[in-house]
Amino acid sequence: MAKLEILEIPDVRLRTIARPVEAFDADLVQLVADMTETMYGAAGIGLAATQVNVHRRLLVLDVSESQDQPRVYINPEIISAEGSETCEEGCLSVPGIYAEVSRAEKVRVSAQNPDGSSFEEDLDGMHAICLQHEIDHLDGKLFVDYLSPLKRRMVTKKLEKQRKISGQKPARAVL
Amino acid sequence: MNKKPVANARLTALKMLAGVLDCRQNLAESEQENTLADARDRAFARHLAFGVLRWLNALEWLAGGLLKKPLRKKDRDIERLILIGLFQLWKSDSAAHAAVNENAESARKVGKPWAVPVINAVLRRFQRERTEWIARLDSKDERYAHPFWLLDAFKADWPEDWQSIAAANNEPGALWLRLNQQFDQEETSKGLAAAGFHVQPHAVIPGAVNVSPAAGVGDLPGFASGRLSVQDPAAQLAAGLLELAPGQRVLDACAAPGGKTGHILESEPGVALTAVELNQARMERVKENLSRLGLAGTAQLQLITGDSSAPDTWWDGNPFDRILLDAPCSATGVIRRHPEIKWLRNPSQVADAAARQVRLLTSLWPLLTPGGILLYATCSVLQVENSRQIQRFLANHPDAESLEFPATWGRKQDPGQQILPGEQDLDGFYYARLRKNP
């Protein structure tokens, strides 16, 4: 297993739209294992392949308290959604920024397992929120895209400041 | 996705409250307290969050009266800091000075320094006028700290007992263990005592012991090795009521998290047990529990992730001698352990749960062999899920007979037996035993 590098904004590769997973092979199993390790290593509760520069439609997540119930969704699709709730989100690709985002409260998702078998599942609570957040990544979207223009300017400034401190280039490209 | 790291017990409690009240999460699902490194901070965050959820609408009523003008909706965090402070001053033995100052100063930490004097003013006013405000609260229904629809449901079902139910729901439940009878229970108790715990067996339920002071499972000697499990004594009644014998085919229809599943095998390892659970993630909990108890390799044990209300998708056609239907329910009997239930439930969910129970009962009944027993259990105190549910089932199933059982716990219902929360220090539970007549 290996920890993978997580892309951070303003990296334009985060804007790539991922293509479906077609090969359910040993490489896929390895990628899932690496992504899971990377997610845990970064104290994340979800990670999309896009974030580790693999532009295929899969994601891992674990919203359990004990952080020992990893789940994998390959080619996930939300087939129905209802309700709305607002929850504070953060993102491993947008370090240090946390903001409230409104999403569907309950979703029904169809997806595949690493062996190619299909399943459907009803999700709610943090599980539903995290899944929607990660599917957005596969479509090149970030949670900060949902913020009001004013809030986004504040986020941009905060990121610029953070990057100045760490001696990196200012973040402008994606926000 | 990740979550904001917090390192302060009070701010963590604030996050836990937001998780429950804004994101409709169970407290058990909240990972917020894990962001605190220190066990005492974690315990304090839980104490604050549980306390506010236990007394929520009473605290809200007090805050509403004490505030000069209502806060805006986006300042829910400030309102919750006030609720935490009021809980500390009113119900907790926190030092008053610290409760006022630290809650007010927390406003700065959430980026709202303007609110420091607001919180200060409200909490100081409560300190000055406490007697008067508590007296006023005592004439309001908010004093029961339950949503009114639920209070009305208690009143309708339990006209004599609704006040004591509400009061018991607001008292934290003690820590109860089930001692695994596959081990020497004496030895297990001695191990607990040697670690400094006071161990007290339950007055009427064998194998159940109360342990104080309360502790996390990691601190209980014998937990990891499967000598004991955390389980309320009311839930420990199920295995005995099944009257198990070697060779019986037994179905545990809604198995997760596996507490009763493990108990069935501990008390009669010779049964052929099938445990069904709908939710894949929750089935993992069943497996974990059985592994910890050393039961995962039991002969003739079958774990099935499937829907018990659609048995044709998983049933092999061999009838069962015993069925445990520990049905999904409103959980209104375990509010003392999960105070957030009061604010997460609504009447339509109770109706949904009742409808689901009907589906489970009717689809599982044909799986029972003639002469076999189905044990129906809920952790609810609402009759629509309990005696009324079973009355209706009996009316529609002439081959079903409700068995009387002599019990030294709970109160007799028609049909079944109901434990109200707090009685004999038990969680609220309902049991009915249904025999299939040939």
Side-chain angles (χ1 to χ4, degrees), chain B residues 401-422:
Chain B
E401 180 194 355
S402 165
L403 297 180
E404 299 269 319
F405 44 99
T408 48
W409 43 267
R411 49 183 76 195
K412 200 167 143 35
Q413 299 291 288
D414 179 25
Q417 192 87 3
Q418 176 80 50
I419 303 167
L420 293 182

Side-chain angles (χ1 to χ4, degrees), chain A residues 43-47 51 63-65 68-69 71 85-92 98 100 105 121 125-126 129-130 133-134, chain B residues 1-5 15 18-19 22-25 27-34 46 76 279-282 284-285 288 349:
Chain A
I45 59 170
L47 186 74
Q51 293 176 277
V63 295
S64 71
E65 186 174 10
D68 58 358
Q69 291 166 33
R71 300 292 315 278
E85 67 183 357
T86 305
C87 216
E88 186 176 64
E89 295 183 16
C91 180
L92 297 174
Y98 301 89
E100 292 202 336
E105 183 189 356
E121 202 177 25
M126 192 46 75
I129 291 170
C130 186
H133 176 115
E134 302 312 330
Chain B
M1 177 164 166
N2 70 347
K3 292 180 154 192
K4 192 182 210 161
K15 294 280 172 190
D22 302 337
C23 303
R24 322 298 299 167
Q25 267 182 314
L27 268 183
E29 282 167 21
S30 164
E31 302 118 55
Q32 287 299 341
E33 59 189 281
N34 292 345
R46 281 175 70 82
R76 284 179 301 198
N279 181 304
Q280 185 197 333
R282 282 167 55 78
E284 294 304 316
R285 295 282 312 281
E288 274 166 34
Q349 285 173 319

Side-chain angles (χ1 to χ4, degrees), chain B residues 31-293:
Chain B
E31 302 118 55
Q32 287 299 341
E33 59 189 281
N34 292 345
T35 57
L36 296 169
D38 188 281
R40 271 183 317 184
D41 285 345
R42 283 200 295 275
F44 188 52
R46 281 175 70 82
H47 169 71
L48 297 178
F50 271 79
V52 169
L53 290 168
R54 216 160 249 143
W55 297 103
L56 185 68
N57 58 349
L59 295 168
E60 283 173 342
W61 184 85
L62 288 171
L66 290 159
L67 272 162
K68 285 242 158 34
K69 57 177 185 190
L71 292 163
R72 291 168 302 178
K73 205 177 168 211
K74 61 186 242 193
D75 296 322
R76 284 179 301 198
D77 48 354
I78 300 302
E79 188 188 352
R80 286 175 191 154
L81 284 170
I82 293 174
L83 301 184
I84 292 175
L86 289 172
F87 162 69
Q88 287 191 281
L89 293 173
W90 177 31
K91 290 287 177 187
S92 163
D93 45 12
S94 319
H97 174 78
V100 175
N101 273 335
E102 283 168 24
N103 283 296
E105 280 308 309
S106 295
R108 224 183 288 283
K109 294 192 185 117
V110 298
K112 294 179 179 174
W114 57 265
V116 174
V118 178
I119 299 176
N120 254 322
V122 168
L123 297 182
R124 291 211 174 115
R125 182 166 173 209
F126 180 72
Q127 280 182 293
R128 282 194 311 271
E129 303 170 6
R130 177 188 172 119
T131 321
E132 175 195 335
W133 281 101
I134 298 303
R136 286 174 67 182
L137 176 63
D138 272 340
S139 66
K140 299 277 170 194
D141 279 344
E142 279 87 351
R143 73 182 184 280
Y144 298 109
H146 278 64
F148 293 157
W149 72 266
L150 186 58
L151 216 49
D152 288 343
F154 290 167
K155 283 180 199 171
D157 283 355
W158 304 102
E160 310 277 304
D161 303 284
W162 64 273
Q163 283 165 307
S164 56
I165 294 174
N169 286 347
N170 292 338
E171 290 296 322
L175 176 61
W176 284 95
L177 306 179
R178 178 184 85 228
L179 303 185
N180 187 341
Q181 60 206 74
Q182 295 297 316
F183 291 83
D184 183 341
Q185 298 183 330
E186 244 347 73
E187 283 292 308
T188 310
S189 291
K190 278 185 196 155
L192 288 163
F197 291 101
H198 179 69
V199 182
Q200 180 71 40
H202 194 272
V204 295
I205 298 169
V209 298
N210 167 239
V211 169
S212 57
V217 290
D219 297 325
L220 297 172
F223 178 79
S225 53
R227 300 184 73 106
L228 54 88
S229 303
V230 174
Q231 192 178 42
D232 191 84
Q236 298 185 35
L237 291 162
L241 290 171
L242 283 166
E243 291 184 352
L244 300 167
Q248 282 174 344
R249 285 178 45 85
V250 180
L251 172 67
D252 182 359
C254 303
K260 298 187 189 73
T261 322
H263 196 193
I264 288 171
L265 293 174
E266 283 170 15
S267 48
E268 184 45 82
V271 297
L273 178 65
T274 303
V276 178
E277 168 55 41
L278 182 60
N279 181 304
Q280 185 197 333
R282 282 167 55 78
M283 184 52 117
E284 294 304 316
R285 295 282 312 281
V286 179
K287 289 183 191 161
E288 274 166 34
N289 255 315
L290 293 177
S291 310
R292 183 180 60 79
L293 295 168

Side-chain angles (χ1 to χ4, degrees), chain A residues 122-137:
Chain A
D122 290 308
L123 305 179
D124 57 13
M126 192 46 75
H127 202 154
I129 291 170
C130 186
L131 185 94
Q132 294 173 74
H133 176 115
E134 302 312 330
I135 290 181
D136 272 358
H137 278 301

